[in-house]
Amino acid sequence: MKTVRPTIGIIGGGNMGTAILSGIHKAYPVIVCEQDKKKCRFLKRTFKLSGQSLRDVIEQAQIIILAVKPQNFDELLQEIESTTGKKKLFISIAAGITTSYIEKRLQRDVKVIRTMPNLPAQIGQGMTAVCGGKSASFSDIKRACQIFNHIGKTVVVKEEWMDAITAVSGSGPAYVFLFIECFTNAAVSLGLSEDLGKALVLQTFRGSWGLFEQQREEASELRARVTSQGGTTQAAVDVFMKYHLEGVFREALQAARNRARELVK
Ligand SMILES: NC(=O)c1ccc[n+]([C@@H]2O[C@H](COP(=O)([O-])OP(=O)(O)OC[C@H]3O[C@@H](n4cnc5c(N)ncnc54)[C@H](OP(=O)(O)O)[C@@H]3O)[C@@H](O)[C@H]2O)c1
């Protein structure tokens, strides 16, 4: 028997809205509302969509993904509140907006799911944390996971963990890019050309990751295997230890988690 897929509405077709759209448009009927005309034209052309108003999305979609920036959220919730009375499942991807805030603003027993995806969703390699509001059922959470599984992996969490998760996987891609940036700049500082430095760093990164995935050993064990006492790797690791790299990571993630807490609504 063929299962009927719910229509998914996406409000906000920016970075994340487009990433979600590209992951799910073959699996679900999707309608999108994007206020920026240029982005809207791009989405229509790329995904063969017809332009939709907010009202169309809210009336036609059973599941509505709220993919606007946190600063545009209040205005959007106000518009939604005045547009629909029907029961829908709302899925927010906005950083720092709690399920209780959305529930309160929509002033009804609305079903709300809060998620924290990340940028690799653009290539189907995202990590999305999912939690449910007070009226969201287990099957609502499952439906949200099924949607976000199209753009990578999902994990169901308690809402109280969302600030820490924002600091780890939400902001995490930036740390990886920063690491690659610093590693490449350091290679160039040894006199290598930028192209060569970049090629060496990227393949080292790719190869080490592949090895880590295949060998299933702890990172610390793999590190010990390539670090012989008194050798070149040990010399570099000693410097990382001298500057307390682990302490730097802890402090950076705490700063991101604290900032996420400050922004919570
Ligand atoms: N980017 C990330 O890595 C990431 C990771 C995790 C979570 N998130 C969350 O994802 C959400 C979206 O982020 P983003 O990076 O995709 O932002 P973005 O690129 O700015 O996309 C948001 C889009 O929504 C449009 N928009 C705003 N209000 C609208 C409305 N009422 N109706 C229709 N369209 C509207 C905006 O148009 P204008 O440009 O004209 O305002 C913009 O094109 C944020 O809440 C963020 O916290 C992002």
Side-chain angles (χ1 to χ4, degrees), residues 106-124:
L106 293 182
Q107 291 175 345
R108 62 179 80 98
D109 234 7
V110 70
K111 296 191 288 178
V112 180
I113 300 280
R114 177 179 171 192
T115 66
M116 175 46 62
N118 68 4
L119 201 59
Q122 287 183 345
I123 56 154

Side-chain angles (χ1 to χ4, degrees), residues 11-12 14-16 33-35 39 67-70 93-95 116-117:
I11 303 174
N15 295 312
M16 289 309 293
C33 165
E34 165 54 52
Q35 68 181 13
K39 286 183 206 161
V68 305
K69 291 266 191 215
I93 65 164
M116 175 46 62

Side-chain angles (χ1 to χ4, degrees), residues 7-9 11 31 33 52-64 79-80 82-88 90:
T7 297
I8 298 179
I11 303 174
I31 49 179
C33 165
Q52 304 284 348
S53 68
L54 185 65
R55 183 178 285 273
D56 292 334
V57 170
I58 292 170
E59 287 184 355
Q60 292 169 30
Q62 285 87 49
I63 299 176
I64 297 165
E79 286 181 77
I80 292 174
S82 60
T83 317
T84 182
K86 292 182 197 160
K87 278 254 165 190
K88 307 280 177 182
F90 289 95

Side-chain angles (χ1 to χ4, degrees), residues 233-246:
T233 312
Q234 180 72 57
V237 170
D238 285 348
V239 177
F240 288 129
M241 297 301 181
K242 185 173 108 186
Y243 289 101
H244 306 290
L245 186 63
E246 191 177 337

Side-chain angles (χ1 to χ4, degrees), residues 215-227:
Q215 306 269 343
R216 295 179 182 278
E217 281 178 64
E218 294 298 329
S220 56
E221 287 166 352
L222 281 171
R223 172 165 67 82
R225 274 216 268 140
V226 290
T227 312

Side-chain angles (χ1 to χ4, degrees), residues 9-22:
I10 301 177
I11 303 174
N15 295 312
M16 289 309 293
T18 304
I20 296 168
L21 174 62
S22 62

